[in-house]
Amino acid sequence: MGRRPGNPDTRNEIVTTARRLFAEAGYDKTSVRDIAAAAGVDPALIRHYFGSKAELFRSTVGWPIAPADLIARITGGDRGEIGARLTRVFLEAWERPESRAPLLAILRGAATHEESTALVRQLMQDQLYPQLAKPLQGPDTELRIDLAMAQLLGTAYLRHVLQVEPIASAPLDELVARVAPVITAHLGPGR
Amino acid sequence: MGRRPGNPDTRNEIVTTARRLFAEAGYDKTSVRDIAAAAGVDPALIRHYFGSKAELFRSTVGWPIAPADLIARITGGDRGEIGARLTRVFLEAWERPESRAPLLAILRGAATHEESTALVRQLMQDQLYPQLAKPLQGPDTELRIDLAMAQLLGTAYLRHVLQVEPIASAPLDELVARVAPVITAHLGPGR
């Protein structure tokens, strides 16, 4: 398989490499040139596929949060169980190294750089709210989603960024069992 | 009032300046020399008072989280109301500019630098757990405190770092009213 323009493998290789470098070094310290070198492609090819560095970042961070199959897992089925499914899908994503890396890149980037912050804000408002609000349908649904996401992001922050004990080593199933009722209470029963 | 060694005003001036610079530029990009220049003191005086940059950082971040009077406000009074008082004290601290700056420095620093992460971890384990565990006294108290802190830190992250709506503009009292029952549920009723 060559690394020719137009080859979908090349595009995936660039996204995978960018995700890893953004997670390791952060948004500011990672250049398009670094990513091109690590992926073994010409920087011009990255600009051809993605335009700016911000757009490349958006492509790498969009993936773990709102792909169609994850959203379907969360919103499909019994409406009263949306909170429990959101909890499991979200916390499980942080356990797998291949999705933990981009999620760490999001959390780290958004904590320090206005450009990353704006991207994450947009991701939540364009994807998460509409997808989750559809089955929930309350007048205060977006604030409820914010408070649920606060619990989930905070849990990931203490477990995977601060790595504070005992939450860093708690079994995933115990965490899900303790967090899911909180998420369900925040989101409400659905209508 | 001169800026002589041994003058408590000088020490406070250094802490206040360090807190501001750490919050604005982050831990890595702020040097002891920068802080000395901004505070109008000799770098040697900072080393005399604080030793290393890490110890200076610890002095600046320790302040908003666990001073004696805040802990007394949280743990004093009815045990069943500890969750409600923790929620209000924590979220109120983020509303005041003079405590928001150091809290942002903590959250930003801990997201990106292992040195800051270790300091925050130590702060939680040496100060927060013992102080809160005393009135709570369960076998799983520390995991309960972690999950409560996850909700509180996540709420501050969405409101003040991501500044995502509607949580960024929600009235403080409404936030406290929605978050306090969750914190109470996490912490349990006390014994």
Side-chain angles (χ1 to χ4, degrees):
Chain A
M1 291 284 111
R3 295 252 169 89
R4 295 164 307 157
N7 184 336
D9 287 349
T10 309
R11 197 184 185 285
N12 290 341
E13 174 74 21
I14 292 168
V15 169
T16 304
T17 304
R19 190 177 290 146
R20 179 169 58 79
L21 294 189
F22 283 139
E24 287 170 3
Y27 181 82
D28 264 7
K29 291 179 187 157
T30 305
S31 67
V32 169
R33 190 172 296 271
D34 295 336
I35 295 163
V41 302
D42 193 278
L45 186 61
I46 295 186
R47 282 189 290 275
H48 167 73
Y49 276 129
F50 299 96
S52 66
K53 183 168 108 173
E55 285 170 285
L56 174 59
F57 181 77
R58 193 184 331 219
S59 299
T60 69
V61 301
W63 169 74
I65 279 208
D69 60 327
L70 286 193
I71 290 284
R73 275 183 63 197
I74 294 166
T75 57
D78 179 12
R79 285 176 183 191
E81 297 290 320
I82 284 180
R85 288 193 301 268
L86 172 60
T87 303
R88 180 164 287 281
V89 165
F90 182 91
L91 292 180
E92 272 181 0
W94 284 86
E95 303 296 312
R96 291 191 305 274
E98 71 273 18
S99 45
R100 186 189 301 159
L103 288 167
L104 279 172
I106 295 170
L107 213 58
R108 294 204 161 113
T112 48
H113 312 301
E114 177 50 39
E115 194 168 27
S116 309
T117 310
L119 288 176
V120 176
R121 212 157 40 215
Q122 199 180 329
L123 198 70
M124 284 191 68
Q125 288 172 343
D126 294 354
Q127 299 196 36
L128 200 62
Y129 291 160
Q131 296 286 354
L132 283 180
K134 233 181 293 173
L136 293 171
Q137 284 179 21
D140 56 354
T141 296
E142 295 192 348
L143 184 55
R144 289 174 168 278
I145 294 173
D146 283 351
L147 289 167
M149 288 311 297
Q151 176 74 66
L152 292 173
L153 278 171
T155 301
Y157 185 86
L158 264 74
R159 182 173 172 89
H160 298 285
V161 177
L162 288 187
Q163 298 179 24
V164 73
E165 295 295 356
I167 201 172
S169 303
L172 179 67
D173 285 347
E174 183 178 0
L175 269 192
V176 171
R178 286 173 183 258
V179 171
V182 170
I183 303 306
T184 298
H186 277 314
L187 295 182
R191 304 187 181 190
Chain B
M1 292 280 113
R3 295 253 169 90
R4 296 163 306 157
N7 184 335
D9 287 349
T10 309
R11 195 182 187 285
N12 290 341
E13 174 74 20
I14 293 168
V15 168
T16 304
T17 305
R19 189 177 292 145
R20 179 169 57 79
L21 294 189
F22 283 140
E24 287 170 4
Y27 182 82
D28 264 7
K29 290 179 189 158
T30 304
S31 68
V32 169
R33 190 172 296 272
D34 295 336
I35 295 163
V41 302
D42 193 279
L45 186 61
I46 295 185
R47 282 190 289 275
H48 166 74
Y49 276 128
F50 299 96
S52 67
K53 182 169 108 172
E55 285 170 284
L56 175 58
F57 181 76
R58 192 184 334 216
S59 300
T60 69
V61 300
W63 170 71
I65 278 207
D69 61 326
L70 286 193
I71 289 285
R73 274 183 65 196
I74 294 166
T75 58
D78 178 13
R79 286 179 183 189
E81 296 291 319
I82 284 180
R85 289 193 301 267
L86 172 60
T87 303
R88 180 164 287 280
V89 166
F90 182 91
L91 293 180
E92 272 181 359
W94 284 86
E95 302 297 312
R96 291 192 304 274
E98 71 274 19
S99 44
R100 185 190 300 158
L103 289 166
L104 279 172
I106 295 170
L107 213 58
R108 294 206 161 112
T112 48
H113 312 302
E114 177 50 37
E115 194 169 28
S116 309
T117 311
L119 289 176
V120 177
R121 211 156 42 214
Q122 199 181 329
L123 198 71
M124 285 191 68
Q125 287 172 344
D126 294 354
Q127 299 196 36
L128 200 62
Y129 291 161
Q131 296 285 355
L132 283 181
K134 233 181 293 174
L136 294 170
Q137 285 179 20
D140 56 354
T141 297
E142 294 191 348
L143 184 55
R144 289 173 168 277
I145 294 173
D146 283 351
L147 290 167
M149 288 310 297
Q151 176 74 65
L152 291 173
L153 278 170
T155 301
Y157 185 86
L158 264 73
R159 182 173 172 89
H160 297 286
V161 178
L162 287 187
Q163 297 177 25
V164 73
E165 295 295 354
I167 200 172
S169 303
L172 179 67
D173 285 346
E174 183 177 1
L175 269 192
V176 171
R178 286 173 183 257
V179 171
V182 170
I183 303 307
T184 299
H186 277 314
L187 295 181
R191 301 184 183 194

